[in-house]
Amino acid sequence: MSQDPLEGCRISAGKKSAVSLGKALHPPNLLVVVEGTCGACVAASPVSAPEGSCSYNVAHHHLCVCVRVCMAWQGLQKGETLASLKQESENLRRKLEEERGKLTDVELHQVAEKVETVAALSIKTRRVLKGHGNKVLSMDWCKDKRRLVSSSQDGKVIVWDAFTLNKEHGITLPCTWVMACAYAPSGCAVACGGLDNKCSVVPLSLDRNENVTAKKKSVAMHTNYVSGCSFTNSDMQLLTSSGDGTCALWDVESGQLLQSFHGHTADVLSLDLAPSETGNTFVSGGCDMKANVWDMRSGQNIQSFDNHQSDINCVKYYPSGDAFASASDDATCRFYDLRADREVAVYQKDSIIFGASSVDFSLSGRLLFAGYNDYTINVWDVLKGTRVSVLFGHENRVSRVRVSPDGTALCSASWDNTLRVSRT
Amino acid sequence: LPTNMTSNSNLSNMKRLVEQLKLEASVERIKVSQAAADLQQYCLQNAGKDALLVGVPTGSNPFREPRSCAVV
C-alpha cells in the first residue's frame, strides 16, 4: 500500500504552508492530494500538483486540513488518457464482480435450511418515553443498559432512565434537527450534532442543579450537517459522518481532526464502529447508495458495496464483526459478509414499499430489527431471510431502532415524538 | 480553476478510482459456504443468551409490571 510520508503533518488554519517532498524519499511526479474540510468552503477541494512540492494557501480557511499522499503516481503511463482510465475502471469493476461470483458456491438461506425456525416472538412495548416536542431522530443506549439518550427536531437532547421513565438531563442545542447522538462508553458524557454542522460533547453532571448545556463543547466541525456520531472505545475519540460526504475521527479533548475518510460521492447518512474485538474498522452508508468499510488508522476505504438502489440510511455491524447490515430507501435491508466480500442476503417483501430507516441485530445476530417509514418495525430472520414478526405501535416513521447492550430490550425512536422500549 | 487544473483534477480522480478498484479487487475472499457456516454458528452459539429471541424467565424482567396474585 502507498506509504504516508506526511503522516503526522498537518497544515493549521490561518497559515500559508508549503509542503515540499524531499526527492530522496519520493520519485519525481509524486501526486499529492490535499484533502480536508474547511469551515469556509462548501466542499472539500482536492488540489493536486505533479511536482515535488505543492503549496496550499489556507490563509482564508478556518480548519485544519489533512495533507496526505494518496498514492505514489509515476505520472501518466504512456498512452493513458481519461478514456483509457475509464475503460480500465470498468474492466476492474467487472473483474471485482467475477471474483466475488467465483466464491458464491451457495446462498446463506440455503445453508440455513437445516436450522430450526425462530419461535413466535412475544415482544411488547413496555415503556413509552414522552417528552420531546417534535420528531425523535436518534437515540443511543448507555452501557449500563438502562439509560439512553435521544435527540429531536426540536433541538433538545434528553437523557432518560428507561426503567423509571425519569428524565435525568435535558440539553438544548441552538439548532433544530439534532440528527445524531451517542452515549460515551463511560456513561459520563453524550455527543450530539446535526444541522449546526458540528458534533458537541456534553459531560453529564451528577448535580441535578447544574446547567449541563453550559458545559457543551464543540468537537467536530463539518461543512454540512452531521448525520451520525459514535465514540470509539474510549471517551477520547469521536467518529462522525456528515452530509458533506466525509467521515472524520476527532480527538475530543483538543478538537483536532485525527483522520478524515473520503470516498463517498454524496451525503454520508450513517456509520457504525466494528465491535472492539475485531479491530480498527468502521462501516458507513450514504446517498451514493454505497456502503464503505474503512481502516480507521490509514483512512483507507478497504471494501465497498453498491447493491442498494437508493440512499442507505443506516449501517450496523453483526455482533461477531464479520458482517454488517444496511437499511435503505429502496425498501430493502441487506446483509453483507466481510470475509466473502459480498452481499449474502436481501430482506424484502412485495408488501413492504416504504423505506427502511434503521437496523440493529439482536444479541446473537439471529434477528434483525428494522424500522420503516410506514411506522412499523419488521423483525427478520437473518439466516433464513424471512420475516418473523412485525411490531406496531408508533404513529409515525420509525427513525431509529437499537437493541440494548445486554440484548434484553429494543428501543425505537419515532417521528411521533416518542420512544418505545420493548421486551419479551 | 484554470482548465488544465480541472482536467488534471478529472484525471487524478479517475486515477484514484482505478487505484481504489485495484485495491478492492485484490482483497482476499473466502467462499460464501464458509462465511455462511460461520455466521450460522455464531447465531446458534449465542442463541441461549438472546433474550429477544428466546425470552427471559418471568420475574427477572425489570421492565415488566409486577404481577399480582389472585386467590381463586
Side-chain angles (χ1 to χ4, degrees), chain A residues 125-399:
Chain A
T125 302
R126 303 288 175 189
R127 294 285 189 277
V128 181
L129 280 63
K130 295 186 186 177
H132 277 296
N134 213 322
K135 307 177 173 70
V136 187
L137 304 173
S138 187
M139 61 78 42
D140 190 27
W141 285 94
C142 176
K143 282 205 158 84
D144 73 0
K145 312 158 226 168
R146 70 184 277 168
R147 279 174 184 76
L148 52 94
V149 62
S150 62
S151 64
S152 165
Q153 188 193 343
D154 67 0
K156 299 244 187 334
V157 172
I158 300 177
V159 176
W160 313 75
D161 176 329
F163 286 8
T164 62
L165 294 186
N166 199 19
K167 295 181 192 53
E168 298 198 340
H169 301 277
I171 300 154
T172 306
L173 293 183
C175 70
T176 56
W177 288 90
V178 187
M179 294 173 237
C181 64
Y183 228 115
S186 68
C188 298
V190 292
C192 47
L195 274 193
D196 55 353
N197 296 2
K198 294 191 224 165
C199 193
S200 308
V201 173
V202 184
L204 299 175
S205 169
L206 290 170
D207 180 355
R208 302 292 248 102
N209 294 325
E210 209 175 332
N211 180 6
V212 163
T213 306
K215 303 200 128 181
K216 177 173 75 86
K217 183 179 135 112
S218 290
V219 171
M221 312 263 249
H222 279 278
T223 55
N224 208 327
Y225 63 90
V226 169
S227 53
C229 64
S230 174
F231 284 89
T232 59
N233 295 332
S234 75
D235 286 19
M236 299 288 79
Q237 291 184 355
L238 190 66
L239 195 57
T240 54
S241 61
S242 169
D244 67 15
T246 71
C247 295
L249 180 67
W250 310 86
D251 177 87
V252 172
E253 191 58 50
S254 63
Q256 199 194 350
L257 172 67
L258 298 172
Q259 185 62 268
S260 65
F261 305 89
H262 295 256
H264 279 289
T265 52
D267 305 21
V268 185
L269 298 179
S270 173
L271 66 85
D272 189 40
L273 225 56
S276 37
E277 310 77 51
T278 41
N280 292 312
T281 60
F282 73 94
V283 62
S284 65
C287 294
D288 58 358
M289 310 189 272
K290 286 213 168 111
N292 291 337
V293 181
W294 306 87
D295 179 312
M296 262 171 45
R297 273 181 284 225
S298 67
Q300 183 74 48
N301 174 7
I302 50 187
Q303 281 170 283
S304 184
F305 305 89
D306 61 357
N307 307 80
H308 274 296
Q309 320 265 291
S310 186
D311 298 1
I312 295 179
N313 296 313
C314 182
V315 287
K316 195 76 175 62
Y317 268 92
Y318 183 74
S320 73
D322 288 333
F324 72 93
S326 59
S328 165
D329 275 353
D330 69 8
T332 71
C333 294
R334 291 169 199 254
F335 190 41
Y336 313 79
D337 186 285
L338 292 167
R339 297 177 309 149
D341 185 43
R342 60 167 289 138
E343 174 196 274
V344 291
V346 184
Y347 308 108
Q348 64 187 345
K349 258 176 128 58
D350 289 342
S351 54
I352 299 175
I353 56 171
F354 283 83
S357 61
S358 180
V359 279
D360 199 2
F361 289 95
S362 68
L363 190 106
S364 67
R366 182 68 192 271
L367 301 175
L368 183 72
F369 295 94
Y372 289 76
N373 294 341
D374 65 0
Y375 317 174
T376 67
I377 297 170
N378 287 306
V379 189
W380 300 91
D381 179 329
V382 169
L383 301 177
K384 291 187 185 281
T386 52
R387 182 173 63 179
V388 174
S389 185
V390 190
L391 305 178
F392 298 98
H394 278 297
E395 295 166 10
N396 207 321
R397 290 192 188 192
V398 177
S399 53

Side-chain angles (χ1 to χ4, degrees), chain B residues 38-52:
Chain B
D38 290 349
L39 290 169
Q40 184 172 295
Q41 188 186 36
Y42 187 90
C43 281
L44 299 177
Q45 270 175 349
N46 292 286
K49 300 186 280 176
D50 190 342
L52 291 167

Side-chain angles (χ1 to χ4, degrees), chain A residues 1 35 46 71 73 76 80 82 85-86 88-89 92-93 96 99-100 103-106 108 111-112 115 118 121 123 126-127 162-163 300-302 304 318-320 323 335 337 339-342 362-367 369 383 403 407-408 421 423-424, chain B residues 1 5 7-57 60-65 67:
Chain A
M1 210 27 251
E35 292 179 310
M71 68 194 92
W73 184 27
L76 277 181
E80 247 179 22
L82 198 62
L85 286 173
K86 194 147 191 260
E88 197 181 350
S89 77
L92 282 167
R93 271 193 221 280
L96 192 57
E99 292 298 312
R100 282 172 168 168
L103 295 162
T104 309
D105 47 351
V106 76
L108 175 62
V111 168
V115 177
V118 171
L121 304 175
I123 297 171
R126 303 288 175 189
R127 294 285 189 277
F163 286 8
Q300 183 74 48
N301 174 7
I302 50 187
S304 184
Y318 183 74
S320 73
F335 190 41
D337 186 285
R339 297 177 309 149
D341 185 43
R342 60 167 289 138
S362 68
L363 190 106
S364 67
R366 182 68 192 271
L367 301 175
F369 295 94
L383 301 177
V403 171
T408 55
V421 179
R423 287 182 68 130
T424 45
Chain B
L1 285 170
M5 274 203 78
S7 59
N8 246 359
S9 169
N10 281 345
L11 215 48
S12 68
N13 284 343
M14 207 63 218
K15 188 78 186 182
R16 262 198 295 172
L17 179 63
V18 166
E19 295 301 315
Q20 178 64 31
L21 286 169
K22 277 188 191 158
L23 177 80
E24 288 178 28
S26 70
V27 158
E28 271 189 41
R29 297 177 189 87
I30 64 171
K31 286 192 188 161
V32 174
S33 52
Q34 177 65 55
D38 290 349
L39 290 169
Q40 184 172 295
Q41 188 186 36
Y42 187 90
C43 281
L44 299 177
Q45 270 175 349
N46 292 286
K49 300 186 280 176
D50 190 342
L52 291 167
L53 181 66
V54 301
V56 286
S60 73
N61 182 341
F63 282 99
R64 238 182 229 175
E65 301 308 327
R67 284 170 204 222

Side-chain angles (χ1 to χ4, degrees), chain A residues 58-121:
Chain A
V58 294
H60 61 293
H61 297 274
H62 302 284
L63 216 61
C64 282
V65 175
C66 178
V67 177
R68 296 188 302 142
V69 175
C70 280
M71 68 194 92
W73 184 27
Q74 303 299 314
L76 277 181
Q77 306 297 340
K78 193 170 177 189
E80 247 179 22
T81 60
L82 198 62
S84 74
L85 286 173
K86 194 147 191 260
Q87 184 62 56
E88 197 181 350
S89 77
E90 271 158 36
N91 293 342
L92 282 167
R93 271 193 221 280
R94 216 172 308 126
K95 180 173 179 217
L96 192 57
E97 274 321 298
E98 266 172 37
E99 292 298 312
R100 282 172 168 168
K102 277 183 199 163
L103 295 162
T104 309
D105 47 351
V106 76
E107 294 294 322
L108 175 62
H109 63 85
Q110 291 172 307
V111 168
E113 258 159 33
K114 306 182 202 110
V115 177
E116 225 179 281
T117 332
V118 171
L121 304 175

